[in-house]
Amino acid sequence: MAVTLHKSKRWLDETTPSFLIKIFEEDEQRLKKFDDELASKARAIYRAAHRSGGESVNSNLTRIDARISAYARKIPDNDLPQKIISREGAPPTDFTPVLHFSNLPSAIISERFAACLMELELEKHQLSPIVVEDFDKKVVGHAYFWRPMITLDAIDLNSTRIAFTKKDDIANSTCRLNYGEGNFLKKNVIDGHLAWADARCILTLFISDAFLEILSSRQIDDFSCDHKLKEI
């Protein structure tokens, strides 16, 4: 089994201020620029593989393959956010997705979540420390910007709860996971990975059940799980 990570559960607790973040505009622009560069790189890889002097060179390479290759690049350290604002002055939650700031599969995670990744599979993730302040510039906590460096094509395309962007060209298509039973991951693809991004659901962060158990055992659980996917 594996799950997709969603936002903190703290918003359900009316007694605790929500950790609503504001990323500085210049950081947001740099992240979006890097994402545009990755998308451009993926297109270039795909075109180069299919056209050389007007002839097809590697017609088996898909846009998904090209995306996996392009997204293996690290974000330059100078382009990563160094500081964020907690709108309500609340300390960081264990997991806060940053989808509305970037088209990259990324999140703001707590120090203890980051420490767990560093201990177990540091080489597979890009982690950068962030200072968290309130609007009065008072430090309310520390966190990490997290982006998995591993991008997989792990979703079984025979799953019954996915919607393809291009139904007539599934090999090259991204997809959307729908709620409910019936979605599957390829066990041989995800074996050995605790957390990853998927080339077909590029904004979604996946973690294995094994990693979920480790996080739970360390009381790192301030997040919700959107989808549960069986391995086949």
Side-chain angles (χ1 to χ4, degrees):
M1 292 280 289
V3 302
T4 60
L5 288 182
H6 195 45
K7 61 185 177 183
S8 165
K9 297 180 291 184
R10 194 183 297 184
W11 65 277
L12 295 172
D13 181 2
E14 296 180 357
T15 66
T16 306
S18 299
F19 180 60
L20 301 173
I21 64 174
K22 174 181 173 59
I23 292 183
F24 291 95
E25 185 177 350
E26 56 268 29
D27 290 333
E28 181 181 348
Q29 290 175 348
R30 282 193 290 265
L31 286 174
K32 287 184 176 179
K33 179 182 177 183
F34 183 76
D35 177 62
D36 290 342
E37 290 174 357
L38 290 184
S40 177
K41 180 69 174 177
R43 289 192 294 269
I45 292 171
Y46 181 74
R47 287 194 298 266
H50 282 258
R51 293 197 298 271
S52 178
E55 296 182 3
S56 176
V57 178
N58 183 1
S59 59
N60 291 325
L61 185 136
T62 67
R63 287 188 173 88
I64 300 302
D65 297 325
R67 176 173 285 181
I68 289 173
S69 177
Y71 274 71
R73 297 174 59 203
K74 281 190 173 184
I75 304 174
D77 290 339
N78 291 338
D79 291 344
L80 289 167
Q82 309 293 315
K83 184 186 298 184
I84 59 174
I85 295 173
S86 174
R87 292 181 181 272
E88 297 188 23
T93 55
D94 285 323
F95 178 86
T96 304
V98 292
L99 303 181
H100 51 304
F101 295 114
S102 167
N103 290 326
L104 298 165
S106 55
I108 304 298
I109 59 176
S110 65
E111 290 182 294
R112 57 186 187 154
F113 195 132
C116 201
L117 284 169
M118 291 176 187
E119 175 189 339
L120 298 173
E121 54 174 24
L122 173 60
E123 71 283 357
K124 296 181 181 181
H125 303 277
Q126 184 165 13
L127 295 160
S128 179
I130 290 177
V131 176
V132 183
E133 296 182 348
D134 62 15
F135 278 113
D136 294 325
K137 297 186 177 181
K138 176 185 176 182
V139 175
V140 296
H142 294 82
Y144 278 81
F145 179 89
W146 169 40
R147 175 176 171 253
M149 294 299 297
I150 301 298
T151 302
L152 306 174
D153 184 12
I155 297 173
D156 181 73
L157 301 186
N158 294 315
S159 295
T160 59
R161 302 290 296 173
I162 57 177
F164 292 102
T165 303
K166 301 176 181 178
K167 292 183 180 179
D168 58 338
D169 188 13
I170 289 177
N172 287 302
S173 181
T174 56
C175 66
R176 182 184 73 250
L177 297 175
N178 292 318
Y179 292 101
E181 300 290 332
N183 288 329
F184 303 94
L185 295 174
K186 292 175 277 191
K187 179 178 175 60
N188 65 314
V189 175
I190 67 172
D191 268 355
H193 302 295
L194 295 182
W196 64 92
D198 194 281
R200 294 183 185 273
C201 294
I202 201 61
L203 297 182
T204 305
L205 289 160
F206 292 77
I207 68 170
S208 68
D209 263 13
F211 190 39
L212 186 62
E213 290 179 9
I214 292 170
L215 293 172
S216 179
S217 70
R218 301 185 186 189
Q219 298 183 323
I220 304 171
D221 58 3
D222 200 357
F223 50 79
S224 55
C225 300
D226 236 1
H227 300 277
K228 295 182 179 180
L229 302 97
K230 294 181 180 179
E231 299 174 21
I232 59 171

